[in-house]
Amino acid sequence: MDQAENQKQQKWMPPPRNVLKVNVDAAVSTKDGLAGLGAVMKDSFGKVVAAGVKQVQLEKDACFADAEAVELGLRVAKDAAAQSLIIETDCLDVAKLANNTKGSRTKIFWIISEIQNLKSDFSRAVIQHVPRSCNACAHSLANLLSRKIHLLSGREQYQKKWKMY
């Protein structure tokens, strides 16, 4: 999907058949110094196949946290044995860096390197930018962990679909 098509897209669109889509996002709480990362993988019918969440210390800025969210999404896909996938992020800089269409920013160089290494584990892995409105599910997951909170008990019943990283 080119940049002009991305800007027209205002709602989540399913991936093509036999391709999985992983939407990722980060939510930042500068007050707590934390970032919540969320990744949701869906099939071409919009059914959730897997999801992951992770709470991290806020290292640099929101862009760094978004890069960590892309890495989380690739790990979720790898754990689910996905072969062909599309990763969607609402951070244009991270999408460009991960696709080698923008020069590296040294502060997130290592995380981008890890993203590129993880991409090679898949037969097809595309990372593309989408507006926040197309990423609401991943943003909601990330927002859960951006503050000092405790996860709801009983999460064991969801172990097959989502994982705390």
Side-chain angles (χ1 to χ4, degrees):
M1 184 181 303
D2 67 23
Q3 192 170 350
E5 287 176 9
N6 269 351
Q7 290 176 351
K8 290 179 188 175
Q9 182 182 345
Q10 294 301 313
K11 65 178 188 155
W12 186 86
M13 301 294 289
R17 191 173 175 189
N18 298 321
V19 176
L20 296 168
K21 184 178 279 189
V22 184
N23 287 87
V24 301
D25 202 10
V28 172
S29 171
T30 53
K31 177 184 165 219
D32 294 324
L34 298 171
L37 312 177
V40 180
M41 185 166 60
K42 295 180 183 180
D43 64 16
S44 59
F45 299 104
K47 181 181 173 194
V48 174
V49 175
V53 292
K54 184 177 181 180
Q55 186 179 69
V56 296
Q57 289 297 123
L58 182 59
E59 291 292 326
K60 308 276 186 207
D61 58 17
C63 191
F64 189 89
D66 279 308
E68 289 181 302
V70 171
E71 180 185 12
L72 171 66
L74 287 164
R75 292 190 186 286
V76 167
K78 187 174 179 179
D79 287 352
Q83 292 298 307
S84 184
L85 64 137
I86 298 168
I87 303 278
E88 289 187 336
T89 175
D90 58 17
C91 183
L92 183 58
D93 282 345
V94 170
K96 285 181 175 182
L97 287 167
N99 289 312
N100 293 319
T101 59
K102 180 177 182 177
S104 181
R105 291 172 39 179
T106 56
K107 64 183 176 181
I108 63 173
F109 172 78
W110 295 111
I111 195 86
I112 295 298
S113 292
E114 185 59 22
I115 288 167
Q116 291 168 343
N117 286 336
L118 283 166
K119 279 176 58 176
S120 68
D121 291 338
F122 302 92
S123 61
R124 178 179 181 252
V126 176
I127 298 174
Q128 61 190 28
H129 172 258
V130 292
R132 165 86 33 99
S133 60
C134 301
N135 228 11
C137 192
H139 180 74
S140 295
L141 274 179
N143 202 35
L144 280 175
L145 294 182
S146 68
R147 298 175 303 281
K148 292 181 181 174
I149 62 167
H150 298 285
L151 286 177
L152 301 172
S153 60
R155 70 175 189 237
E156 294 78 22
Q157 66 185 346
Y158 300 106
Q159 274 181 309
K160 294 193 189 255
K161 283 208 174 191
W162 74 278
K163 184 175 179 181
M164 180 82 170
Y165 283 80

